[in-house]
């Protein structure tokens, strides 16, 4: 999820415009992204957002988990901001940030550049997700023999969230993949109608369980938690509106609203 400045300027007292671009995550997965407001008058901002999670959590993951929270907070603090969803290639996000095409974005891969700063927001674990009435996986956890016996759905391709597929590969389960989806948002629809199982970030899975006939199960092994982070220019290189945006996104998206969100490893650097 990322925020990018839209074309044109916001006139005094005019309505700000926030563009949410959801998108491609680099290898390693991405989580949601966030965006940047520009003051053009009272309560007016320009912003662009690409997101969640994914990875990262993937683009669709950010749409489901982070965008609603960000929009709800913006309606209270900057009610004239509006959002448009567009695709974004996270592989090029840092370059767009340096060029000024983006003001900020949220992703899960660790992207390194001396021109940008990475602000950790939270961690989340991976869990299994199955249909609520799955015929064989019925408890709160899935065993390794069950995982080996079931067919899997995973996310792979343009959205770039590669961790679930890598987890399956590390346990020799790639030959059990029946569906390679391109977006996390496709998974609950696939699972509630089939007996497939998928590996998903826990916070993303929690959101899906609220709106689909799916449930979460513990995996029979530990996985490395993914860290959702905000990327922006260094403090000294930000405009006043960009400073506002970074603070806004860090406060809203860094707030723990679920036990599935674990504290970040590192202290935040604003």
């Amino acid at each position: 999820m990322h925020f990018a400045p839209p074309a044109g300027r916001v006139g005094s007292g005019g309505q700000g415009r926030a563009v949410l671009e959801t998108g491609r995550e680099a290898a390693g997965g991405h989580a949601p992204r966030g965006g940047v407001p520009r003051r053009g008058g009272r309560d007016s901002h320009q912003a662009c957002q690409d997101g969640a999670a994914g990875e990262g959590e993937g683009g669709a993951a950010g749409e489901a988990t982070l965008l609603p929270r960000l929009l709800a907070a913006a309606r209270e603090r900057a009610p004239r901001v509006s959002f448009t969803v567009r695709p974004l290639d996270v592989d090029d996000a840092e370059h767009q940030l340096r060029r000024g095409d983006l003001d900020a974005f949220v992703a899960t891969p660790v992207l390194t550049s001396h021109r940008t700063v990475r602000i950790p927001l939270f961690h989340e674990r991976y869990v299994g997700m199955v249909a609520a009435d799955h015929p064989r996986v019925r408890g709160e956890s899935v065993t390794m023999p069950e995982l080996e016996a079931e067919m899997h759905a995973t996310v792979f391709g343009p959205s770039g969230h590669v961790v679930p597929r890598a987890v399956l590969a590390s346990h020799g389960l790639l030959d059990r993949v029946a569906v390679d989806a391109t977006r996390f948002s496709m998974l609950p629809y696939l699972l509630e109608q089939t007996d497939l199982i998928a590996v998903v970030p826990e916070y993303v899975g929690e959101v899906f369980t609220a709106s689909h006939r799916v449930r979460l199960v513990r995996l029979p092994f530990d996985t490395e938690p993914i860290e959702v982070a905000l990327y922006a220019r260094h403090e000294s290189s930000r405009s006043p509106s960009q400073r506002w945006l970074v603070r806004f996104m860090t406060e809203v998206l860094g707030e723990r609203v679920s036990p599935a969100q674990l504290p970040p490893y590192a202290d935040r650097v604003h």
Side-chain angles (χ1 to χ4, degrees):
M1 179 167 50
H2 83 271
F3 278 107
R9 296 186 177 182
V10 179
S12 176
Q15 179 174 356
R17 182 165 176 263
V19 182
L20 167 66
E21 310 198 13
T22 61
R24 299 163 57 99
E25 296 160 64
H30 292 264
R33 328 301 185 241
V36 110
R38 306 284 181 85
R39 291 279 183 184
R42 182 187 167 199
D43 289 336
S44 69
H45 301 282
Q46 291 178 321
C48 229
Q49 180 180 356
D50 152 52
E55 327 34 105
E57 269 125 57
E63 292 174 25
T65 59
L66 302 185
L67 177 59
R69 291 168 52 191
L70 203 62
L71 182 57
R75 293 300 302 157
E76 294 182 359
R77 305 185 197 182
R80 296 192 182 186
V81 169
S82 60
F83 295 84
T84 301
V85 179
R86 296 176 180 173
L88 171 73
D89 187 347
V90 176
D91 293 337
D92 191 44
E94 281 194 301
H95 298 291
Q96 295 183 56
L97 193 66
R98 293 197 298 267
R99 292 195 304 264
D101 297 334
L102 298 182
D103 294 309
F105 66 92
V106 178
T108 55
V110 177
L111 308 176
T112 57
S113 171
H114 68 280
R115 296 181 181 177
T116 60
V117 62
R118 185 176 188 272
I119 305 171
L121 298 173
F122 61 88
H123 278 80
E124 58 180 321
R125 311 179 189 89
Y126 283 93
V127 296
M129 186 168 70
V130 296
D133 57 352
H134 194 283
R136 293 172 298 278
V137 180
R138 296 177 179 176
E140 295 182 355
S141 61
V142 59
T143 66
M144 197 65 207
E146 287 175 330
L147 205 60
E148 293 170 345
E150 298 298 332
M151 299 300 290
H152 295 252
T154 189
V155 174
F156 188 74
S159 63
H161 198 54
V162 302
V163 175
R165 190 176 176 87
V167 168
L168 297 181
S170 67
H171 291 87
L173 297 175
L174 282 184
D175 62 344
R176 305 298 295 169
V177 174
V179 178
D180 276 324
T182 57
R183 297 171 67 83
F184 267 109
S185 58
M186 298 170 61
L187 292 181
Y189 295 97
L190 296 174
L191 299 188
E192 65 183 359
Q193 299 292 330
T194 69
D195 60 354
L196 300 175
I197 185 171
V199 176
V200 300
E202 187 175 12
Y203 182 39
V204 174
E206 280 188 351
V207 173
F208 289 151
T209 62
S211 56
H212 294 80
R213 294 185 303 104
V214 295
R215 60 187 177 86
L216 305 182
V217 293
R218 293 190 301 273
L219 296 172
F221 44 75
D222 293 329
T223 60
E224 185 71 21
I226 57 169
E227 184 174 67
V228 178
L230 172 68
Y231 288 85
R233 294 186 178 191
H234 287 279
E235 172 73 21
S236 59
S237 300
R238 296 175 206 156
S239 66
S241 61
Q242 288 172 339
R243 294 190 187 100
W244 182 94
L245 175 67
V246 171
R247 287 195 302 269
F248 172 70
M249 293 184 66
T250 302
E251 292 171 5
V252 174
L253 302 184
E255 180 183 2
R256 292 187 64 193
V257 298
S258 165
Q261 293 175 281
L262 306 176
Y265 289 142
D267 293 334
R268 295 174 188 164
V269 178
H270 300 277

